[in-house]
Amino acid sequence: MDESTDLQGKRLVLGLSGGIACYKSAELVRALVKAGASVQVVMTQAATQFITPVTMQALSNQPVVLDQWDARAPNNMAHINLTREADAVLVAPASADFIAKLVQGRADEILSLMCLARPIERCPLLLAPAMNREMWAHPATQRNIAQARADGATVLGPAAGDQACGEIGDGRMLEALALRDEVIAFFEPKRLAGKRVLITAGPTFEAIDPVRGITNLSSGKMGFAVARAAREAGAAVTLVAGPVHLPTPAGVRRIDVQSALQMHDAVLPLAPIHDVFVATAAVADWRPASLSDHKIKKDGAKQVPSFELTENPDILAAVARLPQRPYCVGFAAESHDLLKHAREKLIRKNVPLIVGNLGPATFGRDDNALLLVDAHGERQLATASKRALARELVREIAQRLSSPTAS
Ligand code: C5P
């Protein structure tokens, strides 16, 4: 599954109320369309002060609706028609004033009128607030946000950071791509709602001296994709990551570690309070038995240094031995005999599911092929993006959790 098809077939209404964050809505409409959605833009008069309808029409490829007296609709009821076929309404930016109007059920211009007239059970409302930090923190706005949530709206963000007014704090609208990802996540079935998922990802780095170490070619992409998919499926996700250069998936709690021992120490106390443990990390099997305090120098002795290795703890096996163990999923990155090695690991580590993949063929890439191996048999997931495979794996895990024989 390609990122560009995540919203294929979805019909969205994108509402803009007045705020400087309207400049981000141009990028947002582009990203939504690129992901496969059809987007009908509706703007308040205030929004047109910040960005022109021409821009929004060009990017959405549809005429923009600007007022409730728009006579183009044969029945002259734009406020009704707009949401009857829509899969969701996203208001981005949602100003403080617009949110206040929403919770009062006001309907004196097209956008609030349309929101009030939407079939509430069929057409969800997503709000991306954007305002100055004082406006966001004001008890009136917080009261209104709480009420909007109670009325069924989903609130996306806001983010914290620099504001157009020069102040710093909460209230910025999420960036366009982050909003697109939140919309994608919104539509994913919540198969892991209420579940807590712990994931390890990436390589580990085993220091030899202050500047050198032993590591491997794992990029962390598979584990990060599983973290994102689990969060999209409604889980609370903790990701323990080795040294990788990947952005944290939205809504995921990340703990960075370097070595296998650090990963072990981060994971073990957390494991009993999670429902699922997915060990995607390529943990180094060995580490130098002792760490040199100083950089080992080439000059002087003219002798090639040698150092002893000692074995790292097996994190997955340790979690699987816990009396209160989560549902454990291991990965097997092999160069050959995938099925044989995956089966061996299933037994040796005493876990219910091992996911085999060919390490050299997938390290660093955006696609992969997986072989799911359990006590009953195996299932091949053909080559696809790591995102698509992660979603499929999450679906499998959710299914197994709901089966009474899951262990
Ligand atoms: O033993 P091997 O490294 O082949 O097993 C791979 C699986 O075990 C992966 O799920 C990996 O994350 C996990 N593992 C671990 N701790 C280790 C070694 C591997 O959790 N020290």
Side-chain angles (χ1 to χ4, degrees):
M1 192 188 314
D2 186 76
E3 190 104 19
S4 65
T5 63
D6 277 347
L7 293 174
Q8 197 63 49
K10 291 281 184 273
R11 289 156 304 184
L12 302 177
V13 176
L14 174 63
L16 278 68
S17 58
I20 186 60
C22 279
Y23 81 90
K24 297 184 185 176
S25 305
E27 186 75 41
L28 174 61
V29 72
R30 232 174 144 241
L32 295 171
V33 168
K34 209 169 161 214
S38 70
V39 184
Q40 169 66 64
V41 176
V42 178
M43 295 171 75
T44 65
Q45 284 303 310
T48 64
Q49 296 287 323
F50 294 93
I51 190 165
T52 71
V54 175
T55 300
M56 298 308 286
Q57 175 170 350
L59 294 172
S60 64
N61 203 26
Q62 294 193 51
V64 173
V65 176
L66 294 163
D67 78 90
Q68 68 269 47
W69 311 117
D70 191 331
R72 285 173 302 177
N75 63 356
N76 211 317
M77 293 189 194
H79 66 292
I80 304 283
N81 306 340
L82 282 165
T83 55
R84 291 307 180 266
E85 303 294 321
D87 293 299
V89 172
L90 166 62
V91 181
S95 67
D97 178 60
F98 183 76
I99 296 166
K101 285 171 72 176
L102 263 185
V103 300
Q104 290 185 5
R106 290 181 180 272
D108 60 355
E109 44 69 41
I110 182 63
L111 191 55
S112 52
L113 174 60
M114 181 198 78
C115 287
L116 193 66
R118 81 185 206 285
I120 210 165
E121 68 296 341
R122 271 200 288 119
C123 182
L125 176 63
L126 286 69
L127 301 175
M131 65 199 74
N132 165 269
R133 67 190 174 106
E134 299 291 2
M135 293 168 76
W136 173 252
H138 196 285
T141 304
Q142 290 304 308
R143 200 165 53 234
N144 289 339
I145 280 286
Q147 187 59 52
R149 282 202 172 102
D151 290 346
T154 297
V155 179
L156 308 177
D162 290 340
Q163 302 207 304
C165 51
E167 297 180 4
I168 300 170
D170 286 342
R172 276 169 63 112
M173 190 167 88
L174 289 181
E175 296 305 320
L177 296 185
L179 272 178
R180 176 206 59 192
D181 290 349
E182 290 292 345
V183 174
I184 291 170
F186 178 81
F187 285 117
E188 275 299 295
K190 300 293 173 255
R191 296 186 167 94
L192 290 178
K195 301 289 182 202
R196 303 183 63 169
V197 178
L198 178 64
I199 298 165
T200 62
T204 62
F205 180 88
E206 311 300 327
I208 296 168
D209 69 17
V211 296
R212 303 186 183 91
I214 303 169
T215 188
N216 61 63
L217 290 173
S218 167
S219 64
K221 284 181 180 173
M222 192 68 230
F224 276 59
V226 174
R228 178 174 171 182
R231 191 260 173 172
E232 286 178 345
V237 180
T238 309
L239 176 62
V240 180
V244 292
H245 299 282
L246 292 174
T248 311
V252 167
R253 173 184 174 220
R254 173 174 180 172
I255 301 170
D256 282 320
V257 297
Q258 291 274 324
S259 67
L261 282 181
Q262 288 170 354
M263 190 174 271
H264 175 272
D265 292 351
V267 164
L268 265 284
L270 291 175
I273 54 167
H274 284 78
D275 302 288
V276 179
F277 175 51
V278 187
T280 70
V283 184
D285 292 319
W286 306 282
R287 66 181 183 278
S290 61
L291 171 67
S292 168
D293 288 345
H294 303 289
K295 183 182 171 192
I296 301 168
K297 302 299 284 180
K298 182 161 69 166
D299 48 8
K302 296 224 179 303
Q303 220 179 340
V304 176
S306 64
F307 46 85
E308 266 185 47
L309 294 174
T310 187
E311 197 170 339
N312 274 325
D314 189 317
I315 302 164
L316 176 58
V319 171
R321 279 194 300 270
L322 291 172
Q324 247 194 308
R325 74 178 200 167
Y327 183 86
C328 290
V329 182
F331 266 65
E334 306 294 341
S335 57
H336 62 286
D337 285 344
L338 199 49
L339 180 57
K340 177 170 161 277
H341 290 301
R343 263 211 188 285
E344 263 168 32
K345 265 172 229 203
L346 196 69
I347 293 159
R348 179 158 49 85
K349 303 200 183 222
N350 186 27
V351 296
L353 179 63
I354 288 281
V355 182
N357 59 169
L358 291 171
T362 186
F363 276 176
R365 293 180 56 100
D366 290 325
D367 57 10
N368 199 356
L370 301 180
L371 183 67
L372 310 190
V373 181
D374 68 9
H376 310 290
E378 60 269 349
R379 182 177 163 218
Q380 177 77 50
L381 302 184
T383 302
S385 70
K386 286 182 177 173
R387 257 174 75 49
L389 290 169
R391 279 186 182 163
E392 190 54 39
L393 179 59
V394 160
R395 199 171 297 140
E396 274 280 340
I397 292 170
Q399 228 167 46
R400 285 153 192 266
L401 281 187
S402 60
S403 119
T405 52
S407 60

